Amino acid sequence: MSKLFTRAILSIGLLMLMSMSVFAQTASLTGRITDSEGQAVLGATVQVQGTQAATASGPEGAYSFQNIAVGNQTITVTAMGYKTASKAIAIKAGENVLDIVIENTASDLDEIVVIGYGVARKKQISGSVASVGPKDFNKGVVSSPDQLLAGKVAGLTVNRSGGDPTAGATVQLRGPSSLTASSSPLYVIDGVVGANIELVAPDDIVSMDVMKDASSTAIYGSRAANGVIFVTTKRGKAGTPVLSYSGYAATERIANQVNVLSAAEHAAFVEEHGLAVSPSEAGHTTDWQEAITRTGFSHNHNLSMTGGSEGTRYNASINYFSNQGIVKRNDLERIVARVGLDQNAFDDRLKLALNLANSLNRSNHVDYGIFNGAARFVPTSPIMSDDPTYAPYGGYFQVPGRTGYMNPVAMLNQRDENRNNNTLLASLKADLTLYKGLTWTNVLSYQQNQYDRKYYMHRTDFDSNALGQGFAQRTNLKNIDQILESYLNYNLTKDQHAFDAMVGYSYQKTKNNDGVIARSTGFLSDDLGANNLNLGTLPNGYNPFQDYPYILESLLISYYGRVGYTFADKYILSAAVRRDGSSKFGANNRWATFGSVSGAWRISEEAFMKDQTIFSDLKLKAGYGVSGNQNIDPYRQIIIFGPRDGQFYYNGEWVNAYGVNQNENPDLKWESASMFNAGIDFELLKGRFSGSVEYYNKETKDLLYEYDVPSPPYQYNRLLANGASMTNKGVEVVLNAVVYRNENFSYNTSVNFARNINKVGSLASNIENIGVSQRFEGGIGLEGWTGQTASIVLPGHALGTFYVANYIGYDEATQKTIYQKPNGELVTQDQISAPDDYMVMGQALPKFTYGWNNNFQFKNWDFNFFLRGMYGNQIFNATRADLSRLQQANVTNISKDAVEEGIFETPLIASSRFLEDGSFLRLDNATLGYTFKTGNLRHLKNARVYLTAQNLFTITNYSGVDPEVGLGGLAPGIDNRNYYPKTRSFSMGVNFTF
């Protein structure tokens, strides 16, 4: 027993000695990370090479490791904007200190920018390219990645009018440039051309590079007239696996409401002016806008992992986003999953990249008519009533016989619309190094979108199409896009000469609208909604497939190439050409060629600039190119037969009527945009100040436009043809500054300014004797405003030109509004003939747009705020016009502005009375964050919490809900009662990296 006890004591003692020996072999390591100027570097990643030990430098550049193994170790430091540094140290028991200086990159000029079918350093770019990274993205609740760029890029307008989470944004680069085709830029995501932007979660984006001028975009030929936006996402990196989580929760409230009378104010106004309200519409207190809105709750969660070895790298992420709209029964839910695998083979000569992305969108939509109803409905009316009169309407109070007057709460609750969007993208990229500097790249991608929409109006819906019978519509469509890109890149550098060349081939096959649209009515129950159309009982002559879709197939084949030459890093030349063939256009114009040439001179590299210390970079650049626009549906060039004028009764049964619905045009071709771009890029005091100034002149020819044609000889009275033209000229300025920086505090700021002048050219077609001198657009559709329009497309004027009656004032004696005809004659409203007596009175497009971004950092704290706005645009406020019917206050609500104005004549014409200044300055977002010290935590590399506020205030003279109205289409800038109120949100979020 004693021997056993002795052995146990000896064993324990031996284990203790061994443990002491082990602990004796570990130590601590501390130090500071500074740059070449001695300034502390915050957020640098410090890693013990060959181990999982990693941390981030703190506010003073400090870092620390505990329990680091003794012996020879190598410490590696990486940080954005700095060169990677490695330093060896012999770790001894106890405390060790190692300060590391990391070298600033020469400037952001060495930043890698994505260009067409390749990459280039920023200093090598001779075209107009703007890059935006995560640190500059817009913060807060973002329902679509394009919102990240709003106000961040000079010349890029991202306009999202209203706070509907299910609505997209209008994106325009350097002004509108088409009358019929889409003006949206081309998105290229990780090399996949035309990929759906909703396939990317904002947290997965590494950079967004915007190519503005034709010398940069011409390599994409017929798809690039509206610019190109490259989206680069996170990829796997060799080393320790990195797990990241980011998430936020937010509340959203309505930022502004229509300024209508309350129930008490309305009752007082009606009594004061001797108006009589129907007894059924009196005695209640209803805030109709409050009845349809709520406080919305949103949350977003993103989990990602990257890692791998030098030969095999991986990345995976999943994002969940839920955005509850401020309008009841309106929301968006999205799941985006991405996975990527990069594999090297054959001594790294072959590099394979596989990407899979899937986006699942579920959304509930509302009828925008509820907003007009909420503003107009008499506030002394009840929402519901027990009176049996209203039983057919589900108990909702309604007023039969009153045109365009419907209970907004009933409309909200008795109409169901939900949509499901499933988008899948799979791509495989293979880079094979054939010879030193020669790489063959092949990209194969497959994108499929499955769209399913269900719409149902209850049997109690006040609408005549549904009342007593219900109405259902189901839309189920599939879109497929298949692309093959194959190209060779060659790079050769010798002495001071750098040469690059690229040639390639592209094949794209698209099939859209493969599915059905069907409708039904005559339901006995609302329980199944639009889930079983067969339960309806169709009346005689009812066509359930009136809106049956065309299957749209198209093929695009292209050949392209580019060459570039740089001498001594100061003379830069580049030229590109692309030959496109598209099945979308007429047999006589299937093929077109697009080309570009550009050059740059880096003056700062000249010998006579070597001794100066002001400019660290100074570059002049200029370029000219032609790109195209083919964003129209296929088959617009051929004759199409289809249902015409419903059905007719023949031989005892109803038969569909068919006829020509579209004329053929074998000469139909793409729109072409030629652009000259010139600018200067500069960097002063080693990057302390930097910026650019650019001028562009863009002319779009052969615009597609739908003309009225005589029938006969044409079989249909409309024809799509080329021929119109449009110009956009402008100046863009970007200024960046490191205002102040020391070890504890820094302040960086960036300002961008863009001025664009749009002008419509000829509206004549390229077909003899077919054309128009002008075209009226922007139908208003208010009660009593038959045929009224507010805009005109007129040569010599900008798109969005307002063409209305010239309002002079109000004559209180006669209680008549006074207008001036073009000949100077003063007349009353009833003497105006529309549109003959109208005149140009303003424009919807702004004179300039601007953005101002500010970043502050104090130790572990960071603060950012961003302002943006536009100036010089006008808005036609049809909403105010509709609420200015003081004489009809007994049957509709009116605005407080109209009461103050005191004009009792009902407005019946579109006039400058309702044109308002749309200029605004908006505090778009502000973020306060705190980064925790994680040096002593083994597994947590980074931790940050933040608070963000969006749309804190807007300074504007506009009297409507929000001055940021739609800027797309042929009649931008009209607030026509279909607004969705802007929101104000507050969110709290976290970022963790493990």
Side-chain angles (χ1 to χ4, degrees):
M1 188 70 177
S2 61
K3 290 182 179 180
L4 185 59
F5 179 76
T6 302
R7 289 176 181 174
I9 293 296
L10 291 173
S11 298
I12 292 173
L14 182 60
L15 287 173
M16 291 178 65
L17 288 172
M18 292 174 63
S19 299
M20 291 173 64
S21 174
V22 169
F23 281 108
Q25 298 305 308
T26 60
S28 65
L29 175 64
T30 59
R32 292 180 72 238
I33 308 299
T34 56
D35 62 17
S36 54
E37 297 179 357
Q39 301 292 327
V41 178
L42 170 66
T45 300
V46 187
Q47 185 169 12
V48 181
Q49 203 172 87
T51 73
Q52 295 185 357
T55 187
S57 58
E60 298 180 359
Y63 74 93
S64 65
F65 290 101
Q66 303 299 321
N67 299 324
I68 188 171
V70 299
N72 294 327
Q73 301 285 5
T74 299
I75 310 302
T76 301
V77 182
T78 56
M80 185 174 295
Y82 297 88
K83 295 181 180 179
T84 299
S86 296
K87 196 168 184 179
I89 182 175
I91 300 294
K92 300 177 181 179
E95 296 182 359
N96 296 266
V97 178
L98 178 64
D99 294 332
I100 301 177
V101 177
I102 56 177
E103 186 179 348
N104 305 63
T105 54
S107 68
D108 63 353
L109 299 173
D110 287 320
E111 176 185 345
I112 298 297
V113 176
V114 179
I115 60 173
Y117 305 104
V119 296
R121 295 192 180 276
K122 191 173 181 179
K123 64 183 179 182
Q124 298 172 330
I125 300 295
S126 55
S128 181
V129 181
S131 298
V132 182
K135 64 183 179 66
D136 294 319
F137 288 158
N138 286 319
K139 311 296 190 297
V141 180
V142 175
S143 59
S144 179
D146 48 27
Q147 294 172 233
L148 299 170
L149 296 176
K152 299 294 186 178
V153 176
L156 179 70
T157 302
V158 181
N159 177 258
R160 183 171 176 256
S161 55
D164 186 354
T166 66
T170 300
V171 183
Q172 286 183 352
L173 185 61
R174 292 185 167 178
S177 55
S178 182
L179 299 174
T180 303
S182 169
S183 291
S184 296
L186 174 71
Y187 288 97
V188 180
I189 302 177
D190 292 331
V192 178
V193 181
N196 191 325
I197 189 62
E198 291 189 353
L199 282 163
V200 183
D203 290 297
D204 285 339
I205 298 177
V206 173
S207 68
M208 299 179 80
D209 299 303
V210 183
M211 303 178 73
K212 302 180 185 181
D213 68 318
S215 69
S216 302
T217 63
I219 194 64
Y220 286 103
S222 63
R223 295 169 291 184
N226 304 314
V228 181
I229 299 179
F230 292 98
V231 181
T232 304
T233 64
K234 294 178 181 177
R235 304 297 301 172
K237 295 182 179 179
T240 305
V242 176
L243 178 66
S244 300
Y245 168 80
S246 59
Y248 64 78
T251 60
E252 292 185 86
R253 294 185 61 86
I254 188 170
N256 193 19
Q257 292 184 328
V258 182
N259 195 22
V260 292
L261 300 182
S262 66
E265 291 167 336
H266 184 271
F269 181 88
V270 168
E271 182 179 358
E272 179 185 352
H273 295 88
L275 301 173
V277 176
S278 171
S280 64
E281 298 177 68
H284 299 270
T285 300
T286 304
D287 186 331
W288 291 101
Q289 294 184 82
E290 183 179 323
I292 63 172
T293 57
R294 64 186 174 189
T295 297
F297 177 73
S298 304
H299 54 110
N300 180 80
H301 309 273
N302 197 87
L303 185 65
S304 66
M305 175 174 282
T306 61
S309 63
E310 292 294 338
T312 304
R313 300 165 301 285
Y314 61 85
N315 64 278
S317 68
I318 186 166
N319 177 266
Y320 175 79
F321 175 64
S322 175
N323 191 182
Q324 191 180 64
I326 59 169
V327 174
K328 297 172 182 176
R329 307 193 72 210
N330 174 224
D331 56 67
L332 169 69
E333 188 177 36
R334 178 187 299 132
I335 297 176
V336 178
R338 298 176 61 83
V339 62
L341 180 65
D342 295 283
Q343 178 66 54
N344 294 3
F346 306 124
D347 296 326
D348 295 338
R349 294 176 65 88
L350 176 64
K351 297 180 180 179
L352 300 174
L354 173 66
N355 293 282
L356 289 173
N358 197 81
S359 172
L360 299 172
N361 277 24
R362 183 201 60 80
S363 54
N364 289 306
H365 299 249
V366 295
D367 191 319
Y368 274 25
I370 64 174
F371 303 119
N372 184 40
R376 298 183 73 234
F377 226 75
V378 172
T380 55
S381 301
I383 295 177
M384 303 192 75
S385 174
D386 295 331
D387 190 322
T389 304
Y390 306 106
Y393 316 131
Y396 286 101
F397 177 79
Q398 299 284 9
V399 185
R402 193 173 296 171
T403 305
Y405 196 76
M406 191 177 296
N407 186 323
V409 179
M411 189 185 302
L412 177 69
N413 293 325
Q414 292 176 338
R415 297 183 182 179
D416 308 322
E417 181 180 357
N418 60 77
R419 304 180 191 178
N420 287 282
N421 236 323
N422 184 353
T423 305
L424 171 70
L425 174 64
S427 67
L428 177 63
K429 180 180 180 182
D431 292 315
L432 178 62
T433 301
L434 301 175
Y435 183 73
K436 183 179 179 181
L438 179 62
T439 304
W440 181 27
T441 300
N442 288 275
V443 181
L444 183 65
S445 67
Y446 175 90
Q447 182 172 272
Q448 176 178 296
N449 171 258
Q450 190 75 41
Y451 172 80
D452 186 17
R453 175 182 180 264
K454 302 174 187 177
Y455 180 71
Y456 184 73
M457 301 169 68
H458 292 210
R459 298 166 65 249
T460 52
D461 193 297
F462 193 55
D463 190 280
S464 59
N465 291 318
L467 186 59
Q469 57 187 355
F471 173 83
Q473 187 177 67
R474 185 72 179 266
T475 304
N476 195 290
L477 302 173
K478 182 170 66 175
N479 304 318
I480 295 176
D481 196 10
Q482 303 171 79
I483 301 177
L484 168 65
E485 299 273 5
S486 182
Y487 52 94
L488 288 164
N489 265 304
Y490 180 67
N491 293 275
L492 174 65
T493 301
K494 188 174 183 180
D495 299 328
Q496 293 184 306
H497 305 275
F499 173 80
D500 64 90
M502 184 270 297
V503 293
Y505 166 82
S506 176
Y507 174 95
Q508 180 177 10
K509 185 177 182 181
T510 304
K511 184 177 183 180
N512 293 332
N513 284 359
D514 186 2
V516 297
I517 300 177
R519 59 182 188 164
S520 185
T521 188
F523 295 95
L524 298 177
S525 170
D526 296 326
D527 290 345
L528 293 181
N531 287 309
N532 193 336
L533 303 186
N534 197 44
L535 294 179
T537 303
L538 301 181
N540 288 335
Y542 191 91
N543 181 5
F545 301 109
Q546 182 175 349
D547 299 317
Y548 203 80
Y550 299 129
I551 293 179
L552 303 174
E553 293 186 275
S554 64
L555 181 63
L556 177 68
I557 295 177
S558 309
Y559 305 91
Y560 49 86
R562 179 179 59 223
V563 293
Y565 171 72
T566 301
F567 174 72
D569 251 358
K570 58 184 176 182
Y571 305 124
I572 303 165
L573 293 172
S574 180
V577 64
R578 185 176 181 116
R579 178 76 169 163
D580 278 342
S582 172
S583 64
K584 287 185 177 182
F585 296 101
N588 299 333
N589 287 304
R590 287 277 168 85
W591 289 87
T593 302
F594 306 93
S596 70
V597 61
S598 64
W601 175 29
R602 293 188 66 208
I603 305 173
S604 54
E605 295 300 305
E606 294 288 356
F608 61 81
M609 293 287 287
K610 292 301 181 182
D611 294 331
Q612 59 85 34
T613 57
I614 298 176
F615 289 99
S616 47
D617 186 70
L618 183 62
K619 179 171 69 175
L620 292 177
K621 59 185 180 181
Y624 177 84
V626 180
S627 53
N629 190 353
Q630 61 150 2
N631 290 330
I632 62 169
D633 288 338
Y635 312 138
R636 295 303 306 269
Q637 80 280 20
I638 62 175
I639 190 168
I640 290 181
F641 294 84
R644 291 284 304 274
D645 304 320
Q647 298 179 315
F648 62 93
Y649 195 74
Y650 175 75
N651 199 22
E653 60 183 22
W654 289 94
V655 179
N656 291 334
Y658 284 86
V660 174
N661 281 343
Q662 178 179 287
N663 293 307
E664 67 175 338
N665 183 358
D667 295 317
L668 198 69
K669 59 183 177 181
W670 21 49
E671 302 175 347
S672 63
S674 59
M675 186 188 298
F676 170 76
N677 188 93
I680 180 170
D681 296 341
F682 56 88
E683 189 176 90
L684 291 79
L685 305 177
K686 298 183 178 180
R688 188 75 178 265
F689 300 97
S690 63
S692 65
V693 179
E694 297 196 36
Y695 165 80
Y696 62 88
N697 186 345
K698 176 182 178 182
E699 183 178 7
T700 310
K701 298 180 180 179
D702 297 320
L703 288 175
L704 294 162
Y705 202 58
E706 199 164 40
Y707 296 90
D708 293 321
V709 293
S711 176
Y714 290 93
Q715 298 185 65
Y716 189 64
N717 61 1
R718 305 282 283 176
L719 176 70
L720 182 67
N722 298 91
S725 62
M726 183 184 300
T727 61
N728 286 277
K729 299 178 182 179
V731 175
E732 297 167 354
V733 180
V734 178
L735 299 174
N736 308 298
V738 180
V739 180
Y740 185 81
R741 182 177 65 186
N742 64 20
E743 291 185 1
N744 295 321
F745 178 77
S746 66
Y747 169 40
N748 302 332
T749 188
S750 177
V751 178
N752 69 76
F753 167 92
R755 163 77 160 142
N756 181 76
I757 301 174
N758 173 265
K759 187 178 292 186
V760 177
S762 170
L763 292 178
S765 77
N766 57 2
I767 299 176
E768 188 176 359
N769 298 324
I770 294 179
V772 294
S773 59
Q774 60 188 29
R775 183 165 174 172
F776 300 108
E777 299 287 348
I780 305 301
L782 301 185
E783 182 181 349
W785 288 41
T786 305
Q788 293 284 311
T789 59
S791 294
I792 189 172
V793 179
L794 184 66
H797 294 267
L799 204 64
T801 293
F802 291 115
Y803 196 73
V804 294
N806 184 15
Y807 173 71
I808 299 300
Y810 178 61
D811 186 345
E812 293 187 6
T814 61
Q815 292 193 342
K816 296 283 188 179
T817 49
I818 307 300
Y819 303 85
Q820 185 180 48
K821 287 187 174 184
N823 63 6
E825 181 184 0
L826 298 181
V827 296
T828 55
Q829 179 177 239
D830 56 310
Q831 296 172 309
I832 288 287
S833 176
D836 296 337
D837 293 331
Y838 285 3
M839 61 182 74
V840 172
M841 296 299 297
Q843 65 178 46
L845 300 181
K847 291 182 178 178
F848 63 81
T849 59
Y850 56 92
W852 182 26
N853 194 46
N854 298 270
N855 287 295
F856 299 86
Q857 192 151 346
F858 177 69
K859 295 187 177 181
N860 291 55
W861 293 93
D862 61 86
F863 177 64
N864 168 273
F865 71 88
F866 175 62
L867 298 106
R868 66 179 176 89
M870 59 178 60
Y871 174 81
N873 60 304
Q874 291 180 292
I875 298 172
F876 186 84
N877 194 343
T879 301
R880 181 164 71 88
D882 198 34
L883 297 172
S884 296
R885 306 169 186 268
L886 301 188
Q887 290 182 335
Q888 297 174 244
N890 59 326
V891 294
T892 182
N893 203 357
I894 54 179
S895 70
K896 294 179 182 179
D897 293 331
V899 173
E900 184 177 341
E901 196 176 24
I903 298 177
F904 273 81
E905 182 184 35
T906 300
L908 295 175
I909 60 173
S911 75
S912 58
R913 174 185 169 189
F914 303 108
L915 277 180
E916 300 186 34
D917 180 12
S919 306
F920 70 88
L921 168 64
R922 190 192 306 279
L923 179 52
D924 211 43
N925 55 69
T927 298
L928 176 65
Y930 183 82
T931 301
F932 293 90
K933 295 180 180 181
T934 58
N936 295 325
L937 300 176
R938 180 179 178 184
H939 297 294
L940 185 61
K941 298 178 181 178
N942 183 63
R944 180 175 179 267
V945 297
Y946 62 90
L947 296 172
T948 294
Q950 287 177 279
N951 191 23
L952 279 172
F953 65 77
T954 302
I955 300 174
T956 182
N957 291 324
Y958 183 60
S959 67
V961 170
D962 191 86
E964 200 165 3
V965 299
L967 291 178
L970 296 181
I974 298 179
D975 181 349
N976 198 8
R977 307 165 297 152
N978 57 352
Y979 55 87
Y980 190 115
K982 206 81 168 180
T983 66
R984 177 171 295 120
S985 70
F986 298 90
S987 57
M988 180 176 182
V990 297
N991 302 108
F992 295 122
T993 302
F994 303 93

